[in-house]
Amino acid sequence: MRTPLRSRRTALTGATALLLTLAVGPAAVADTHQAQRQGGSLVLIGGGLKENNTQVYGEIIERAGGARARIGVITASSVPAAQDPYADDPDRCSNSECNGAYYSDLFKRHGAADAQWIPVDLDHIANADSAAVVRQVNSMSGFFFGGGDQSRYLTTLLNGAAHTDSKVLAAIRAKLAKGAVVAGSSAGAQIAAGADMVTGGESYEGLRDGSSPGYFEDATRLGYEPDGGFGFLRSGLIDTHTGAYGREGRAMRLAADTGHDRVYALEENTALVVEQPGGPRERLRILGPRGVAVLDLRRARTTTTPPPRKVTGSGASGPGWSLSGVRYSYLTDGDQYDPRHWRALPAPGKRPLALRSATPVPANNDVFHSVASPVGVPYSFLTTARALAATRAQHQAEATTYEDGPRFTVTFRKAPGFTAWGTDGATPQTLTGLEIGITGR
């Protein structure tokens, strides 16, 4: 069971830190910082982490020991150098080694004492059980998993289909339990998930066809890994790049198909900070310029209707899948979330909005930002939700998918308890308790 308490950290005094540094070195000092936190933490970013995001990089570094932080960078989700035609060109390369060097340099530029690439990738799978690499991991006070394809993390660190910890992953897991911070962006955040980790897919095709276990060459097909990722965060499914790629639809379909009642949907360049993941005091906080949606499916219901009669030239085909009763909260910088009590806690300084606008919600015929639409608008799902939150003229609004075979209609409704929060009295930043339904026809 989880409680809404939040762990507190106490900084070492300068004299104590100096004595510890002289006696046992910077890595041990960082470990002492971790032990004082009574458990580790996660910093999960929805992808697109910008170089100048001092807020998120600073959070990771501070949790790893501040000026004494030593960050281990894992980029095994990238292609290895052997598969990169530009591996020898530092300006064009995009492989695990050069990406590891990129992030290591960034962490040092943001103030870490040291940052090192952990040399595990598809070219160096044996290193995942190397005693020397385990010693390197044990000298670190924090870890960062880069983006790419999360299936490569399964291959390199979870022994593939065996789904058992390599020695390197076991060492990272032990460091997390003792207080280390584990961060990740995009695939590096996805891999923190437990059972039924998403592996790919688009919202429209996912709603139309449902989800299937596995990885698929068809990037639109909604797939998942039943055994999950590393299992660092189990209180909800994880999805990333949510706003940029309109992934709310696929997130809801996957959760409904696999029996999960909560999803954390992370936007780009923004972090979900998790204190004591998996413990009785797990607590979440949002950090960054965008937001994280929490989808609550405890009262959700699904139905499937027979396919409509085919009308020549209509394009309509397939059964209509529908979902009702999903609660949607959108949380922004400084907001907290208590997973045990399913409660969003807006940041200090945000207050409920007094709705004065009578502007109707604009029409939206591309709610999930379809890749098929030549004029698709990113963030359109959130745009509709916020437009409804801002007006007193409507209690309900609808938006549709660009595709029509079948077309899905998303209904947004101000359910009892719905509240919009903001800092200026007029602009909805945080939304709590909006109800979502999806109907396929």
Side-chain angles (χ1 to χ4, degrees):
M1 298 297 289
R2 298 180 175 88
T3 64
L5 302 178
R6 183 180 181 186
S7 65
R8 297 180 181 274
R9 291 169 288 150
T10 305
L12 294 171
T13 65
T16 303
L18 177 60
L19 288 173
L20 283 170
T21 302
L22 292 173
V24 295
V29 174
D31 283 343
T32 302
H33 276 268
Q34 295 162 3
Q36 290 174 335
R37 286 203 298 270
Q38 303 176 14
S41 56
L42 306 173
V43 180
L44 306 179
I45 303 111
L49 180 59
K50 296 187 181 300
E51 293 184 3
N52 63 354
N53 193 331
T54 57
Q55 193 178 18
V56 171
Y57 280 108
E59 182 80 8
I60 298 167
I61 291 168
E62 195 275 335
R63 288 174 176 274
R68 291 170 290 276
R70 294 169 55 81
I71 308 295
V73 176
I74 304 98
T75 52
S77 61
S78 300
V79 298
Q83 297 179 24
D84 180 5
Y86 304 109
D88 295 328
D89 184 345
D91 295 324
R92 301 174 71 187
C93 65
S94 180
N95 61 68
S96 53
E97 188 168 358
C98 73
N99 291 344
Y102 165 80
Y103 281 115
S104 296
D105 178 66
L106 268 178
F107 276 106
K108 286 185 278 191
R109 282 162 49 193
H110 279 282
D114 191 19
Q116 302 175 13
W117 180 52
I118 306 297
V120 176
D121 61 10
L122 291 179
D123 279 349
H124 306 91
I125 294 178
N127 281 355
D129 289 307
S130 160
V133 179
V134 169
R135 286 194 295 272
Q136 182 189 18
V137 165
N138 285 331
S139 74
M140 299 291 124
S141 57
F143 303 92
F144 178 83
F145 287 85
D149 185 340
Q150 55 264 39
S151 68
R152 298 187 184 111
Y153 282 131
L154 299 180
T155 300
T156 54
L157 291 169
L158 270 175
N159 294 311
H163 213 272
T164 56
D165 284 3
S166 63
K167 291 180 180 178
V168 164
L169 180 57
I172 294 171
R173 197 182 299 280
K175 295 284 285 187
L176 173 64
K178 292 179 180 178
V181 58
V182 174
S185 180
S186 190
Q190 290 279 15
I191 198 64
D196 306 317
M197 176 189 70
V198 66
T199 60
E202 298 288 347
S203 280
Y204 177 75
E205 288 79 4
L207 293 174
R208 183 190 65 193
D209 303 327
S211 60
S212 303
Y215 285 80
F216 303 102
E217 290 296 322
D218 180 356
T220 69
R221 186 174 178 184
L222 178 54
Y224 65 95
E225 170 55 51
D227 290 331
F230 299 155
F232 294 150
L233 180 63
R234 296 182 181 272
S235 58
L237 290 177
I238 300 170
D239 211 340
T240 57
H241 300 280
T242 307
Y245 298 115
R247 287 178 170 169
E248 293 90 348
R250 82 172 192 180
M252 286 185 273
R253 181 69 199 246
L254 178 59
D257 284 357
T258 54
H260 289 265
D261 54 14
R262 181 160 43 204
V263 182
Y264 303 118
L266 285 59
E267 286 203 273
E268 291 183 344
N269 202 33
T270 298
L272 179 68
V273 180
V274 186
E275 300 277 4
Q276 300 188 45
R281 299 182 178 183
E282 182 175 285
R283 188 65 165 261
L284 287 64
R285 178 168 57 89
I286 315 305
L287 188 71
R290 294 180 181 168
V292 172
V294 180
L295 299 162
D296 175 355
L297 286 86
R298 287 176 295 169
R299 298 177 181 85
R301 297 290 182 271
T302 63
T303 57
T304 302
T305 58
R309 288 180 59 189
K310 182 73 174 179
V311 178
T312 303
S314 70
S317 62
W321 182 87
S322 297
L323 175 69
S324 61
V326 178
R327 287 297 183 101
Y328 168 87
S329 294
Y330 182 79
L331 309 180
T332 55
D333 189 51
D335 294 342
Q336 297 186 50
Y337 182 76
D338 172 3
R340 181 188 175 194
H341 295 99
W342 299 78
R343 184 172 62 190
L345 306 167
K350 292 179 184 175
R351 61 186 186 276
L353 301 185
L355 303 182
R356 300 183 179 90
S357 171
T359 304
V361 178
N364 183 349
N365 63 357
D366 187 13
V367 65
F368 297 123
H369 181 43
S370 171
V371 295
S373 173
V375 292
V377 180
Y379 307 103
S380 56
F381 184 99
L382 177 59
T383 298
T384 300
R386 279 183 160 159
L388 178 62
T391 185
R392 57 181 171 79
Q394 293 174 240
H395 290 279
Q396 183 170 304
E398 292 184 347
T400 63
T401 57
Y402 174 78
E403 298 89 346
D404 65 354
R407 173 171 281 117
F408 289 92
T409 299
V410 180
T411 302
F412 301 78
R413 186 174 73 88
K414 295 175 182 176
F418 168 76
T419 310
W421 304 74
T423 56
D424 63 2
T427 305
Q429 298 168 325
T430 296
L431 311 178
T432 58
L434 198 68
E435 187 170 286
I436 305 295
I438 302 174
T439 303
R441 295 187 180 91

